[in-house]
Amino acid sequence: MADSSFDLVVIGAGPGGYVCAIRAAQLGLKVAVVEREHMGGICLNWGCIPTKAMLRSSEIFHLMQRAGEFGLKAGSVGYDLDGIVKRSRAVAAQLSGGIGHLLKKNKVTAIMGEAALIAANTVSVKTDKGSQTLTAKNVVIATGARARELPGLEADGDLVWTYKTALTPPRMPKKLLVIGSGAIGIEFASFYNTLGCETTVVEVMDRVLPVEDAEISAFAKKAFKKQGMKIMEKSMVKKLDRAPSKSGGKVTAHIEAGGKIEKHEFDTVISAVGIVGNVENIGLEALGITVDRTHIVTDGFCRTNVPGVFAIGDIAGAPWLAHKASHEGVMVAELIAGQKDVHPVKPESIAGCTYCQPQVASVGYTEAKAKELGYKVKVGRFPFIGNGKAIALGEPEGMIKTVFDEKTGELLGAHMVGAEVTELIQGYVVGRTLETTEAELMNTVFPHPTLSEMMHEAVLDAYHRAIHI
């Protein structure tokens, strides 16, 4: 490459890296982005997007089975797993190709290769054509993360899967064990369970979806069990005995619960026990960049302890969410470009969404966390069964919960479980960003008939003013 000098080099083209590169280019900086494997990163190719495509297929399959409830008639309802996977991969490929177009449109130099820092302002890149050196005034590390593998529970792609194999399954499991009930684990459990697989979820914490509000977790658990899932909380998989065979193997899981270890047999295991940052072989040690438990330590503006080097997204720690990475990318690009009024990302104002059935979404503090922080709270709740649109949709099971500071009326948190709540939650996110109080939310006119009316009623309920319950 003739010109190897840039204002900014971004390592990694996931939802943090490519967004950072584009925003920096929009602001007039000369930018290069280096990607090791796929434009769009894990999220677009092996995470957020393809999983949602697969979950959409299972959702439609579920609705087809309910046709009679809507006065419709359908013949034999079935599914084609290969067809579901093919559509999911096509959706991911379409969007991945679009990233390359966006980078080119914004005049970002895109390089496929493996990058490593050899100095604070120097990046070495290994490509299939050899090596090259890039210099930059600033470097942003956006190398993301990968699935955590626990000793004795390592994935083999045959009987024990990580998310990648679960997205391109070699077969349909008949009896599935999912280890971990965070977003990744519970989404795969929901997908395979909906398609008829006998599914067991093991969670080491005292409840499924442990980062969510306790009431939401309890509601979701009840729904999962109604769908046929077996939920084992306060349990741990200690060991997996594997008997693989081309004609169909088995896994014997040693599961500890209540101080006792019992053996349970499955034909497939999905391990979803968290992630680890991709901190290896990118030059962090040589530069003395601080790493804590596989994540780069940064300040509120994503600056590392080495001047001119930033880290964004999953590599920079929780919350491990694509939209958090993208927003950090924009913030860092604007900071580097010298923009005024650049604000740090506030983790407590970032929504979390889980696309299981029913969906779960939240923003801000749980009721327990708010109390732990010393707030005296007002809590409102509204059930889906009280909403006309939910009943018309045939989705009467769900709940919206709001948590307010009794003293100031600040919206501290909002928590939802039910149909389409991943779309509804943004209303409360905007409210928190605008520092909205209960008064503004009460005085907002929500359209009828919509699911969003429940958001209004949940606010009203916190102040004993709800109309429809």
Side-chain angles (χ1 to χ4, degrees):
M1 190 168 85
D3 193 348
S4 60
S5 179
F6 297 89
D7 296 312
L8 170 65
V9 169
V10 182
I11 303 175
Y18 86 76
V19 169
C20 180
I22 288 173
R23 181 61 183 138
Q26 289 175 345
L27 292 170
L29 300 183
K30 185 180 179 184
V31 185
V33 61
V34 184
E35 170 55 40
R36 179 178 64 181
E37 192 172 6
H38 301 293
M39 288 296 173
I42 291 297
C43 171
L44 197 153
N45 294 278
W46 294 103
C48 320
I49 300 302
T51 54
K52 303 314 161 282
M54 291 178 73
L55 284 160
R56 175 62 170 165
S57 293
S58 67
E59 179 187 16
I60 293 173
F61 177 68
H62 173 70
L63 286 171
M64 289 170 68
Q65 293 175 310
R66 296 176 56 198
E69 296 178 30
F70 298 90
L72 304 174
K73 294 182 180 180
S76 178
V77 177
Y79 65 85
D80 173 7
L81 184 61
D82 290 340
I84 291 172
V85 172
K86 183 179 179 181
R87 176 180 181 271
S88 170
R89 300 316 306 155
V91 169
Q94 177 182 342
L95 290 171
S96 181
I99 301 303
H101 169 73
L102 288 172
L103 293 171
K104 185 177 181 180
K105 175 185 174 183
N106 286 279
K107 297 181 173 57
V108 174
T109 300
I111 304 169
M112 295 302 298
E114 293 193 28
L117 283 156
I118 54 178
N121 64 342
T122 309
V123 178
S124 175
V125 183
K126 294 180 181 178
T127 71
D128 56 4
K129 296 180 181 178
S131 297
Q132 61 188 85
T133 300
L134 312 178
T135 59
K137 298 174 184 176
N138 295 278
V139 175
V140 172
I141 303 171
T143 50
R146 62 186 183 277
R148 181 186 299 277
E149 296 198 60
L150 299 179
L153 309 182
E154 295 91 351
D156 54 29
D158 177 18
L159 300 175
V160 183
W161 303 349
T162 62
Y163 61 88
K164 276 196 174 183
T165 306
L167 280 168
T168 54
R171 54 187 159 74
M172 179 65 189
K174 295 180 180 178
K175 192 172 182 182
L176 172 68
L177 169 64
V178 177
I179 307 174
S181 74
I184 294 173
I186 214 68
E187 285 184 0
F188 279 122
S190 188
F191 171 77
Y192 284 105
N193 187 73
T194 300
L195 294 186
C197 175
E198 185 181 336
T199 304
T200 298
V201 177
V202 171
E203 171 57 52
V204 69
M205 303 296 283
D206 61 354
R207 54 193 172 88
V208 293
L209 297 167
V211 302
E212 301 295 341
D213 186 88
E215 281 188 80
I216 301 300
S217 292
F219 193 105
K221 176 186 175 181
K222 186 177 179 180
F224 298 151
K225 292 180 71 174
K226 185 177 179 180
Q227 295 164 17
M229 274 191 218
K230 182 178 180 181
I231 306 293
M232 299 180 68
E233 297 162 326
K234 291 192 287 189
S235 302
M236 181 182 295
V237 179
K238 306 292 288 185
K239 179 183 177 184
L240 296 175
D241 295 330
R242 314 177 198 205
S245 73
K246 293 182 179 179
S247 59
K250 66 177 182 179
V251 181
T252 301
H254 300 245
I255 303 175
E256 182 179 26
K260 297 180 180 180
I261 295 179
E262 295 183 353
K263 296 180 181 180
H264 299 263
E265 193 172 289
F266 304 90
D267 61 55
T268 309
V269 177
I270 295 176
S271 178
V273 290
I275 62 174
V276 293
N278 293 322
V279 294
E280 302 88 354
N281 305 315
I282 54 175
L284 303 182
E285 299 87 352
L287 269 67
I289 293 175
T290 305
V291 175
D292 180 28
R293 289 170 289 182
T294 79
H295 291 88
I296 295 173
V297 177
T298 64
D299 66 9
F301 290 96
C302 295
R303 295 175 291 210
T304 71
N305 61 306
V306 175
V309 180
F310 300 77
I312 63 174
D314 288 355
I315 192 68
W320 297 287
L321 300 167
H323 43 290
K324 171 252 195 185
S326 295
H327 202 78
E328 287 180 337
V330 170
M331 175 193 71
V332 168
E334 293 179 349
L335 192 67
I336 291 171
Q339 293 282 294
K340 296 180 179 179
D341 299 321
V342 178
H343 301 285
V345 177
K346 297 179 180 179
E348 66 274 12
S349 293
I350 298 172
C353 297
T354 305
Y355 298 81
C356 46
Q357 190 174 329
Q359 294 180 6
V360 175
S362 60
V363 66
Y365 302 128
T366 64
E367 180 182 355
K369 183 64 177 180
K371 290 178 177 177
E372 180 187 320
L373 292 172
Y375 290 101
K376 189 173 182 181
V377 301
K378 281 185 173 290
V379 178
R381 302 171 184 84
F382 195 84
F384 272 49
I385 193 66
N387 177 261
K389 179 67 178 293
I391 296 171
L393 288 175
E395 301 288 354
E397 295 185 4
M399 179 179 74
I400 293 181
K401 177 177 179 178
T402 54
V403 182
F404 290 91
D405 178 5
E406 184 180 279
K407 182 179 180 180
T408 66
E410 177 188 357
L411 176 64
L412 298 175
H415 311 275
M416 307 177 173
V417 56
E420 299 303 328
V421 297
T422 57
E423 297 292 339
L424 295 178
I425 192 64
Q426 187 61 18
Y428 286 134
V429 175
V430 171
R432 279 182 56 80
T433 300
L434 296 175
E435 299 182 349
T436 302
T437 68
E438 92 291 353
E440 287 85 12
L441 289 168
M442 286 182 181
N443 288 317
T444 299
V445 180
F446 287 73
H448 174 79
T450 64
L451 297 177
S452 69
E453 291 176 275
M454 293 184 286
M455 299 169 62
H456 191 217
E457 292 270 15
V459 174
L460 293 172
D461 185 60
Y463 293 84
H464 309 291
R465 289 178 52 182
I467 303 296
H468 293 97
I469 51 171

